[in-house]
Amino acid sequence: MTVKELAAACGFDTACGEGDREITGGVYCCDLLSIVMGRAPADCAWVTVMGNLNSIAVAVLADTACIVLAEGMALDDDARAKSQQQDVTVLTTPLPVYEASVAIAKAIGAL
């Protein structure tokens, strides 16, 4: 499933990016960026509340398929510019982290 297809299936909004990457690494939830760098699977949908510049850098380093900002969190302007430059798709949802993660897992067939 592509990130774009995931957004449609879960009712998530696209803050930026094309969403053409395939999600093959499951779903990963964490807000501690140093842990995400070392443990997030490549090509996963990463669910977090961190919509800042550092999150974009971590998504690139961890090679995630996308970032899903939960809890209605917004992407700040610097992060938006960097995500466009680095081709990182960022989705947003008002859902809590757990509920967003369950929705993703169901959509990609992991549950």
Side-chain angles (χ1 to χ4, degrees):
M1 169 175 277
T2 66
V3 173
K4 187 179 211 175
E5 291 168 337
L6 174 73
C10 294
F12 298 162
D13 293 321
T14 302
C16 62
E18 297 298 318
D20 295 330
R21 271 187 82 169
E22 290 283 332
I23 300 168
T24 59
V27 58
Y28 188 80
C29 307
C30 188
D31 293 324
L32 190 56
L33 300 180
S34 60
I35 291 182
V36 177
M37 282 190 297
R39 297 186 182 175
D43 299 312
C44 72
W46 171 29
V47 183
T48 184
V49 296
M50 306 288 290
N52 60 31
L53 188 61
N54 292 335
S55 297
I56 304 305
V58 168
V60 171
L61 287 170
D63 199 25
T64 65
C66 65
I67 298 172
V68 179
L69 290 177
E71 310 273 353
M73 295 301 184
L75 189 63
D76 71 35
D77 292 336
D78 291 337
R80 181 180 311 280
K82 185 56 89 172
S83 68
Q84 291 169 341
Q85 182 184 55
Q86 295 291 322
D87 196 27
V88 175
T89 299
V90 180
L91 306 177
T92 61
T93 179
L95 293 173
V97 170
Y98 175 77
E99 291 177 22
S101 302
V102 169
I104 294 166
K106 286 179 180 177
I108 65 174
L111 279 182

